[in-house]
Amino acid sequence: MSAANDADELAALAMTLKRHLERRRRAGVRVSPKADAPQAKTVNSKNDSSLGGAVADLFAATTAGAQANSLEELRAAIGDCQRCKLCSGRTHIVFGVGNPRAKLMFVGEGPGRDEDLQGEPFVGRAGQLLTDIITKGIGIKREDVYICNVVKCRPPENRNPEPDEVAACEPFLKKQIDLVRPEIIVGLGKFAVQTLLKSNAPISKLRGKWHSYHGIKLMPTFHPAYLLRNPADKKLVWEDIKQVIKELNGENA
Ligand code: SF4
């Protein structure tokens, strides 16, 4: 084939792709590099090597909810989930709440009693403290961020989720992150952070430094429930949150 033919063919391909993307946009489908372009491993952060891969790699195409194009579709795919033993003690599946296009996402461990009863994450005393961090500390509304947990059903007596429960539920978290595509994730507490980072390091070592979750900036900090028991450490959380504010304001560029 001649160079001129090659150029014509490329131009035609580009036009076809452009029309396809425009159709998807008009249909309300969120256009993502994952869905519309050949996969390329990208390194989006200096810490990326600890996790590898891009956001596009987050979700295995064979898992329930993989085809969801919105949080509503993902919630529908989860249904009356019985995929792990936590289903037996729950009142509600606590899926997540907030802005589906949030720049900032908070990820905790799992629902507690209040959350289980109300079906919303972080609504008890610890939730009020998180709301204060968001509204009084960061200066934005709670509805402007997205909040969810690693597991969506309450573990009995608030114990840590077990490995098989995390394995069953984590794909839903990954898909939530993939759909929201936040710029920053704040990991709340040891369990959530260790799950996200696949690390056994203590939260006291992980907090206060930027990490990468598949190319998304991740700031670990203490869980609000821990702060209720250890109020002296609020100042450390404030240090972490100040870094988040700077990043949101583009002051770390
Ligand atoms: S914790 Fe997750 S995987 Fe387990 S039953 Fe609840 S929604 Fe399903």
Side-chain angles (χ1 to χ4, degrees), residues 79-248:
D80 183 30
C81 185
Q82 316 263 322
R83 292 172 182 83
C84 83
K85 57 188 179 298
L86 292 181
C87 69
S88 61
R90 74 170 177 237
T91 309
H92 290 106
I93 291 176
V94 182
F95 177 67
V97 71
N99 182 349
R101 297 286 183 271
K103 280 185 173 181
L104 181 59
M105 186 167 185
F106 290 85
V107 178
E109 172 180 324
R113 187 175 60 89
D114 293 319
E115 290 76 17
D116 175 61
L117 291 173
Q118 296 185 42
E120 182 172 332
F122 286 93
V123 290
R125 282 181 67 221
Q128 184 55 54
L129 185 49
L130 177 62
T131 302
D132 286 347
I133 289 169
I134 294 165
T135 57
K136 297 176 186 167
I138 303 176
I140 56 179
K141 295 182 199 149
R142 181 174 155 113
E143 309 87 80
D144 291 337
V145 306
Y146 193 82
I147 306 171
C148 62
N149 287 303
V150 173
V151 294
K152 313 302 184 203
C153 302
R154 184 193 182 197
E157 308 305 322
N158 293 346
R159 65 158 168 77
N160 283 341
E162 294 175 350
D164 60 313
E165 296 157 358
V166 174
C169 209
E170 196 181 8
F172 301 137
L173 171 65
K174 289 179 175 176
K175 186 66 183 179
Q176 278 175 304
I177 295 171
D178 191 20
L179 288 166
V180 176
R181 299 275 174 116
E183 291 175 14
I184 297 170
I185 297 171
V186 175
L188 297 169
K190 168 185 154 180
F191 183 85
V193 171
Q194 290 185 342
T195 300
L196 289 168
L197 292 180
K198 306 297 176 212
S199 167
N200 291 322
I203 184 68
S204 55
K205 290 274 186 291
L206 293 168
R207 61 148 290 276
K209 302 183 207 70
W210 287 109
H211 300 258
S212 174
Y213 181 77
H214 297 263
I216 299 172
K217 284 178 175 282
L218 169 66
M219 176 58 72
T221 195
F222 292 122
H223 194 285
Y226 166 86
L227 292 182
L228 292 174
R229 300 189 301 271
N230 301 275
D233 281 345
K234 282 184 184 173
K235 62 181 183 302
L236 295 177
V237 171
W238 178 232
E239 292 302 317
D240 305 342
I241 294 300
K242 279 197 287 189
Q243 292 200 59
V244 171
I245 294 169
K246 273 188 175 179
E247 191 65 35
L248 284 171

Side-chain angles (χ1 to χ4, degrees), residues 2-41:
S2 70
N5 282 345
D6 283 348
D8 287 348
E9 194 167 311
L10 275 175
L13 277 172
M15 184 56 69
T16 303
L17 178 60
K18 189 173 172 219
R19 285 193 187 124
H20 169 68
L21 293 175
E22 281 169 356
R23 270 198 306 276
R24 285 171 60 95
R25 276 197 197 96
R26 280 198 298 275
V29 176
R30 198 169 182 203
V31 177
S32 71
K34 169 182 69 174
D36 295 301
Q39 292 291 300
K41 295 276 183 185

